[in-house]
């Protein structure tokens, strides 16, 4: 099991990291090594049709020459492969113009200076929060047993099930020539189920770093029951509706807020809805969102891709825009202030800039049944798909409903309706909050995990309907 959790050998990967740093002939260098094994059991038409496992690895090398920065990646983790990538990163750096905004790679003193916890050393044993032993041990037979339970329940009701069960184990090691060193093992598990009848569908999923937190029976029951409730939907005209959004739908909206505006780069470049709005109210006071990379309820990760330890960041506080997440580059662009000193990275560096990776929306006090009971006329939405951004600063997105849309009238669910296309500003939708759910669900997101409750919103704009 220990070998599984350290696919390259936790001591060996740090030794290899040290050697790789020495192969980068530059003023400063950074090396990120990732190795892992992902196993997948996919099913459709009530049968498993694919069972695969893949081992992979990646090295990401940054070379700095003065204010010129070059980046090269490779999937060849041999010594020659890394040396070739190191030479390529240096060659790319030489071709770049000076970047006046680049100050330096991050140093260990940078985050120790603000009181953040030191980056964790190579752990003597697997860290349960980030890597669960049972996930690493989970076998193809274990995945097949779980999938069989979903298929059996669907078949017993004359329905057809499809989906996937994925488990992954790996490790990540980061270091640079300014003394940063970070390493952790990681695991993840994800089970999805789509259950279909001739006229409707239902959906459920579950995600965790610890596979023992995934309950296949609960996933099966939720997907089958939703499918049975969603048979023979009727068409109704689109328009503006009061909505009750289940956690799947709320997670999609929250992650798009992240994509459109929770990162410092979009704030600085003026295309974030937070640009010019920090300290001002941007949505209902019942909405509070923060990022916490160490909270085990989500999918925690102790540091970012620069090796900087995660800090908790409050993004929306009772409807007020408070802050965004930062990496060392965007923090270095900010002017030092007398009150706060220099801006520091919050530990959210990713390949495309800083993004929140373990988001949490604060729970409220309502149960879904109460939300339905308090709805005069509206729609209960299971989830969205095919979502695309339309206007970043206004947070306008468009997409479709899916796997269960229901008409609610006079406090009761009347029945399923055909899916809608919507075009809606997220911040406007979150500015008319009637109720927030008391329980929360973890969802996988574009950049990490999102933990959200269901929500009852006063207005949501549906612009068209489908034939299904």
């Amino acid at each position: 099991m220990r070998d599984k959790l350290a696919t390259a050998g936790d001591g060996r990967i740090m030794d290899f990291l040290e050697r790789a740093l020495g192969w980068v002939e530059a003023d400063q260098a950074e090396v990120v090594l990732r190795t892992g094994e992902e196993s997948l059991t996919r099913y459709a038409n009530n049968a498993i049709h694919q069972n695969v496992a893949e081992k992979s690895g990646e090295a990401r090398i940054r070379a700095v020459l003065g204010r010129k920065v070059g980046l090269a990646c490779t999937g060849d983790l041999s010594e020659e492969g890394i040396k070739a990538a190191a030479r390529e990163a240096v060659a790319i750096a030489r071709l770049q113009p000076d970047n006046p905004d680049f100050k330096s790679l991050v140093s260990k003193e940078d985050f120790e200076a603000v009181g953040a916890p030191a980056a964790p050393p190579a752990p003597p044993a697997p860290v349960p929060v980030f890597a669960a032993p049972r996930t690493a041990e989970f076998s193809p037979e274990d995945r097949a047993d779980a999938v069989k339970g979903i298929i059996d329940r669907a078949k017993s009701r004359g329905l057809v099930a499809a989906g996937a069960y994925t488990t992954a184990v790996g490790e990540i090691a980061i270091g640079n020539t300014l003394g940063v060193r970070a390493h952790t093992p990681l695991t993840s598990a994800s089970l999805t189920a789509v259950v279909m009848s001739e006229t409707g569908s239902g959906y459920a999923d579950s995600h965790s770093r610890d596979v023992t937190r995934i309950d296949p029976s609960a996933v099966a029951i939720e997907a089958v029951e939703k499918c049975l409730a969603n048979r023979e939907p009727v068409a109704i005209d689109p328009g503006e509706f009061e909505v009750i959004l289940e956690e799947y739908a709320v997670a999609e909206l929250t992650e798009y807020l992240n994509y459109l505006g929770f990162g410092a780069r979009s704030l600085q470049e003026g295309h974030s809805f937070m640009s010019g709005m920090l300290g001002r109210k941007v949505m209902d006071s019942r909405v509070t969102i923060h990022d916490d990379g160490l909270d085990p309820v989500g999918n925690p990760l102790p540091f970012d891709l620069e090796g900087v330890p995660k800090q908790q960041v409050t993004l929306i506080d009772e409807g007020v825009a408070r802050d965004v997440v930062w990496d060392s580059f965007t923090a270095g662009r900010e002017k030092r202030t007398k009150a706060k000193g220099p801006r520091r990275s919050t530990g959210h560096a990713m390949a495309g800039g800083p993004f929140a990776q373990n988001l949490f929306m604060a729970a409220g006090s309502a149960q879904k049944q109460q939300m339905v009971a308090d709805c005069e006329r509206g729609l209960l939405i299971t989830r969205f798909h095919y979502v695309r951004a339309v206007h970043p600063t206004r947070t306008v997105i468009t997409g479709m409903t899916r796997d269960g849309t229901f008409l609610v009238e006079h406090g009761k669910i009347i029945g399923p309706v055909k899916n809608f296309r919507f075009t809606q500003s997220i911040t406007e939708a979150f500015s008319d909050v009637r109720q927030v759910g008391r329980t929360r669900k973890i969802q996988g997101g574009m950049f990490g995990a999102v933990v959200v409750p269901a929500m009852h919103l006063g207005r949501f704009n549906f612009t068209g309907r489908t034939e299904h």
Side-chain angles (χ1 to χ4, degrees), residues 99-342:
N99 185 338
D101 290 331
F102 177 79
K103 303 295 191 299
S104 170
L105 296 178
V106 67
S107 71
K108 191 173 180 180
E109 288 72 22
D110 286 337
F111 44 79
E112 289 182 340
V114 294
V127 182
V129 169
F130 311 118
R134 179 61 182 137
T135 306
E137 297 169 341
F138 214 59
S139 68
E141 290 78 12
D142 293 328
R143 295 194 302 276
D145 286 344
V147 167
K148 183 177 184 300
I150 296 172
I151 290 173
D152 286 349
R153 180 170 287 273
K155 288 172 68 176
S156 71
R157 305 302 298 271
L159 307 173
V160 177
Y165 203 160
T166 305
T167 54
V169 56
E171 60 185 324
I172 181 169
I174 299 171
N176 70 26
T177 52
L178 300 184
V180 171
R181 297 292 183 273
H183 169 265
T184 187
L186 291 171
T187 58
S188 64
S190 173
L191 174 61
T192 62
V194 178
V195 176
M196 301 189 68
S197 69
E198 292 184 356
T199 59
S201 62
Y203 176 84
D205 67 26
S206 186
H207 310 270
S208 179
R209 293 218 177 277
D210 185 350
V211 76
T212 64
R213 295 184 181 178
I214 290 180
D215 183 349
S217 177
V219 171
I221 292 171
E222 182 182 349
V224 167
E225 294 305 313
K226 182 59 68 72
C227 179
L228 292 172
N230 191 29
R231 289 178 295 185
E232 299 183 358
V234 300
I236 64 172
D237 290 334
E240 188 173 271
F241 284 87
E242 190 175 334
V243 291
I244 298 160
L245 302 182
E246 297 208 64
E247 293 90 340
Y248 303 113
V250 175
E252 190 84 36
L253 302 186
T254 305
E255 189 67 326
Y256 261 87
L257 280 180
N258 183 22
Y259 173 61
L260 296 174
F262 285 161
R265 176 171 291 181
S266 60
L267 179 86
Q268 292 174 331
E269 295 175 354
H271 51 80
S272 165
F273 71 96
M274 305 274 269
S275 298
M277 298 299 289
L278 293 180
R280 298 172 63 179
K281 193 164 187 176
V282 293
M283 55 189 72
D284 193 281
S285 59
R286 277 174 273 203
V287 179
T288 293
I289 302 172
H290 73 275
D291 184 88
D292 185 351
L294 301 180
D295 191 329
V297 175
N299 268 1
L301 182 67
F303 47 79
D304 67 3
L305 284 186
E306 294 181 311
V308 177
K310 296 282 188 179
Q311 294 181 37
Q312 186 184 107
V313 179
T314 299
L315 304 157
I316 304 292
D317 182 15
E318 297 184 346
V320 176
R322 288 299 183 197
D323 203 354
V324 294
V325 296
W326 303 80
D327 59 9
S328 68
F329 179 77
T330 52
R333 281 173 156 177
E334 295 292 295
K335 293 181 178 178
R336 173 193 295 264
T337 65
K338 287 185 178 179
K340 298 182 179 179

Side-chain angles (χ1 to χ4, degrees), residues 10-20:
D10 48 354
R12 284 184 293 158
I13 196 170
M14 294 307 289
D15 291 341
F16 193 62
L17 180 81
E18 296 294 340
R19 294 167 61 200

